[in-house]
Amino acid sequence: MAKSPAPVPNDTPVESDLAAAGKGRATPSRAEQEAARKRPLVPDTKEAKARARSELAAQREKARAGMAAGDERYLPVRDKGPQRRFARDFVDAGWHLGEGVMPFMILVIVLTLVPNGFFQYWSFVALWIFILFVIGDMIITSIRVKRAAKAKFGDGKVEKGLGWYAAMRTVQMRFMRLPKAQVKRGQHPA
């Protein structure tokens, strides 16, 4: 014979026990579950774009500062290496005529605005003479850098194009050079 269940006392509520034992809400349908899981593969929000833009700007600023400081990690290939650093320091330690090319050209432009043919003609002649002196300074600097690099790094160890690299740096104004000058004028590298 089957046993009958024991009588339940009337003072305990049956419904509250069942509600506490369950999850308290209806099971979501399959469509609701799929909709909740759907997310774009690539977030296309304004916040994500702004965040990516700010991160890229921070990386670029870090790279620019590193390059200006002469940090080897951020330098382009043409500026990397101890010999290139030596050539930069050699050039930055001295005064060069090439630094004055741009200011001299501005002066010539101003003089060509003077309605006197004498000033116009002789300003161009002076500019060409100055450019010849700058080319001479570039050649002398190139020879001196190669000679100093041979003495420091060895005769067969000098990189190709080191003299040209140094000569091109002499034409740039000191405050516009990248990487920035790491030595003061007169502080020649050892």
Side-chain angles (χ1 to χ4, degrees), residues 5-109:
V8 179
N10 291 339
D11 56 343
T12 58
V14 177
E15 294 173 5
S16 65
D17 287 342
L18 293 175
K23 60 186 173 188
R25 58 182 168 77
T27 301
S29 68
R30 183 177 192 150
E32 290 171 346
Q33 288 177 350
E34 288 177 356
R37 281 195 309 260
K38 280 189 180 178
R39 279 178 276 158
L41 295 176
V42 179
D44 193 32
T45 62
K46 287 183 181 180
E47 300 87 28
K49 286 181 182 178
R51 190 176 331 107
R53 217 175 8 253
S54 66
E55 288 173 3
L56 185 62
Q59 288 174 351
R60 284 184 182 158
E61 178 60 27
K62 184 178 177 185
R64 188 201 60 76
M67 184 176 152
D71 189 353
E72 289 282 329
R73 294 176 292 173
Y74 301 107
L75 291 178
V77 176
R78 70 181 170 118
D79 294 325
K80 285 186 179 182
Q83 291 186 24
R84 299 295 172 131
R85 177 179 291 277
F86 175 77
R88 285 194 304 269
D89 291 346
F90 192 93
V91 169
D92 294 339
W95 291 90
H96 300 281
L97 292 175
E99 297 176 44
V101 169
M102 290 301 288
F104 198 78
M105 285 185 173
I106 292 171
L107 178 65
V108 168
I109 290 171

Side-chain angles (χ1 to χ4, degrees), residues 64 68 91-92 94-95 98-103 106 169-183 185:
R64 188 201 60 76
V91 169
D92 294 339
W95 291 90
E99 297 176 44
V101 169
M102 290 301 288
I106 292 171
R169 192 161 172 93
T170 63
V171 180
Q172 300 169 349
M173 288 189 278
R174 186 177 171 93
F175 69 91
M176 294 180 73
R177 294 177 184 162
L178 277 179
K180 297 285 185 194
Q182 303 295 314
V183 296
R185 292 196 196 266

Side-chain angles (χ1 to χ4, degrees), residues 116-183:
N116 189 343
F118 177 80
F119 286 115
Q120 293 175 351
Y121 175 76
W122 286 107
S123 64
F124 276 112
V125 170
L127 176 65
W128 283 107
I129 291 171
F130 183 72
I131 288 175
L132 290 175
F133 277 111
V134 168
I135 291 171
D137 183 46
M138 289 171 66
I139 292 169
I140 291 169
T141 302
S142 173
I143 293 169
R144 289 179 61 212
V145 165
K146 285 192 255 182
R147 190 178 300 149
K150 282 180 186 175
K152 181 172 181 167
F153 298 106
D155 193 19
K157 306 276 186 185
V158 177
E159 293 177 2
K160 188 174 182 176
L162 191 65
W164 178 254
Y165 178 77
M168 295 298 5
R169 192 161 172 93
T170 63
V171 180
Q172 300 169 349
M173 288 189 278
R174 186 177 171 93
F175 69 91
M176 294 180 73
R177 294 177 184 162
L178 277 179
K180 297 285 185 194
Q182 303 295 314
V183 296

